[in-house]
Amino acid sequence: MGYAMASNLRKKLPPSTALYINDINASVLTRFVDQYSSYGPIVPVTTAREAAAHSKVLISIVPGAQDVKAVYLDEETGVIAADKDEERIMLECSTIDVESTKEVGRRLGGMGVYIDAPVSGGVPAAEAGSLAMLIGYPPPAVSSSGGLEDQISERLTNTLGLIGSPEKFFYLHALGAGLTAKICNNYLTGTILLATAEAIATGVAHGLDPSDLYQVIKNSTGQSWMCDHVMPVPNVQKEYWVPSNSGYRPGFKTQMMLKDLNLGIESAKLVGVEPSMAAKALEVWERAAKDERCVDRDGSSIYLHLGGKLPRRYEDKGKKRENGTWEFAD
């Protein structure tokens, strides 16, 4: 996700504007520079502090809450170690628990404006620059007074436009609200994808052609975004790319679903809601995350874990190399 988002930043920023990049994997930085330096200057840095020292806008996306805290709160290498700057925008796009992002926001007093802005749409939307952005910040004012808040809002809107689609910008007013919405959305993602895979596996085992079954679902009450865009049977969806068509090339890895469902379960419990669907779904996802047919492949490969059949013309194009990694189809 981060690589694709950064690529759109470099392509769309003015050629004279330097883009500072940081990743724990140095080879990724080298590859990024080689691939995109023709669009403008790219400066790899070793710490978030260095990036903050040179930037008015920071965008981060990392795996978990501890990583977010390391990026922003480490007293030697984190953003907090840089000079204070009330005009700095810190856009945090990771999916983590709400309390952690509020803690980071509290501790960054004076460092700038810290905003939770988790993204949705997966790798395809990140590559296309069409991500949905769930923004824990007030919407831009209808009329501008020219003050600092209005300036921040204008710069924020312009920055978001480099990586996402304005029609999919959701301003949710307060720090943590973006993550709350994202966690609720992911609760549905994990449960609906599993239900879709189970339903299709059942129909195919009874002898239905996968494409015929999909057309029924698509035009009936079982239709969903997940069924259309993450169809778990290869070669069914022909309107656009889905992971199963490429041997389950990851848009979102199977094992990553565990974090998202756990966040949904914990969030529900905090407000007295019994997360019965996600709790049962998590049990299946935990098993799939250990299944060699699903590990490091897209979550739609859970269809294989369920024993879903792949009739002729719907074969799995993924191949496992001797070193254990996957070779995906184009």
Side-chain angles (χ1 to χ4, degrees):
M1 291 290 287
Y3 194 96
M5 292 164 66
S7 72
N8 277 296
L9 288 170
R10 184 58 284 170
K11 290 176 184 177
K12 297 175 183 178
L13 283 168
S16 59
T17 300
L19 176 65
Y20 293 83
I21 58 173
N22 172 252
D23 194 278
I24 60 172
N25 187 339
S27 65
V28 170
L29 301 179
T30 300
R31 176 161 58 94
F32 188 88
V33 171
D34 291 344
Q35 189 172 359
Y36 295 108
S37 59
S38 63
Y39 292 93
I42 301 171
V43 184
V45 294
T46 58
T47 66
R49 176 185 58 77
E50 293 177 76
H54 295 284
S55 307
K56 286 287 190 180
V57 178
L58 299 174
I59 302 174
S60 57
I61 182 164
V62 292
Q66 289 306 311
D67 305 296
V68 172
K69 291 178 181 179
V71 167
Y72 287 95
L73 301 181
D74 188 287
E75 295 183 358
E76 295 183 1
T77 63
V79 173
I80 202 169
D83 291 338
K84 293 185 176 183
D85 184 348
E86 65 177 4
E87 296 181 356
R88 183 186 290 124
I89 296 174
M90 296 168 283
L91 204 58
E92 217 305 295
C93 299
S94 312
T95 301
I96 63 173
D97 65 284
V98 174
E99 185 49 45
S100 288
T101 210
K102 288 182 177 181
E103 176 190 347
V104 173
R106 286 193 296 268
R107 293 180 59 182
L108 285 175
M111 298 304 300
V113 181
Y114 175 80
I115 303 168
D116 63 308
V119 298
S120 186
V123 173
E127 292 175 340
S130 59
L131 288 164
M133 311 290 298
L134 317 180
I135 308 152
Y137 196 74
V142 176
S143 58
S144 173
S145 64
L148 179 59
E149 288 188 6
D150 289 332
Q151 293 175 27
I152 292 291
S153 289
E154 182 178 355
R155 290 170 53 221
L156 172 61
T157 299
N158 292 339
T159 300
L160 294 172
L162 300 175
I163 55 177
S165 295
E167 66 271 17
K168 294 189 287 186
F169 294 168
F170 301 98
Y171 291 91
L172 300 168
H173 303 283
L175 181 63
L179 278 167
T180 300
K182 173 67 171 175
I183 289 168
C184 293
N185 178 77
N186 287 1
Y187 185 110
L188 291 170
T189 297
T191 53
I192 290 173
L193 178 55
L194 175 58
T196 299
E198 290 176 343
I200 294 176
T202 300
V204 173
H206 276 289
L208 288 176
D209 180 271
S211 293
D212 290 343
L213 178 55
Y214 170 60
Q215 287 302 318
V216 170
I217 294 170
K218 180 181 178 181
N219 292 283
S220 304
T221 54
Q223 187 274 341
S224 71
W225 192 96
M226 296 302 292
C227 190
D228 289 343
H229 294 265
V230 199
M231 162 52 63
V233 177
N235 304 323
V236 170
Q237 179 55 268
K238 300 184 185 300
E239 293 182 50
Y240 31 72
W241 178 85
V242 296
S244 62
N245 287 358
S246 300
Y248 299 97
R249 180 191 298 275
F252 190 80
K253 289 184 179 180
T254 302
Q255 55 266 42
M256 293 177 66
M257 193 67 76
L258 306 187
K259 180 192 78 170
D260 283 2
L261 281 178
N262 270 309
L263 286 172
I265 290 168
E266 292 305 314
S267 183
K269 288 181 177 178
L270 282 173
V271 291
V273 174
E274 178 58 38
S276 57
M277 291 289 289
K280 295 302 293 185
L282 180 60
E283 295 176 9
V284 183
W285 283 105
E286 286 175 336
R287 295 193 294 270
K290 299 175 184 176
D291 188 328
E292 63 178 14
R293 296 169 294 181
C294 304
V295 174
D296 290 335
R297 301 177 92 183
D298 187 75
S300 55
S301 65
I302 199 169
Y303 180 83
L304 305 178
H305 173 74
L306 297 170
K309 297 181 182 298
L310 296 176
R312 190 172 62 86
R313 298 188 296 112
Y314 301 100
E315 291 86 359
D316 177 4
K317 297 178 182 177
K319 297 180 181 179
K320 203 162 196 179
R321 303 185 182 98
E322 290 185 3
N323 64 4
T325 62
W326 286 98
E327 179 181 339
F328 299 108
D330 293 333

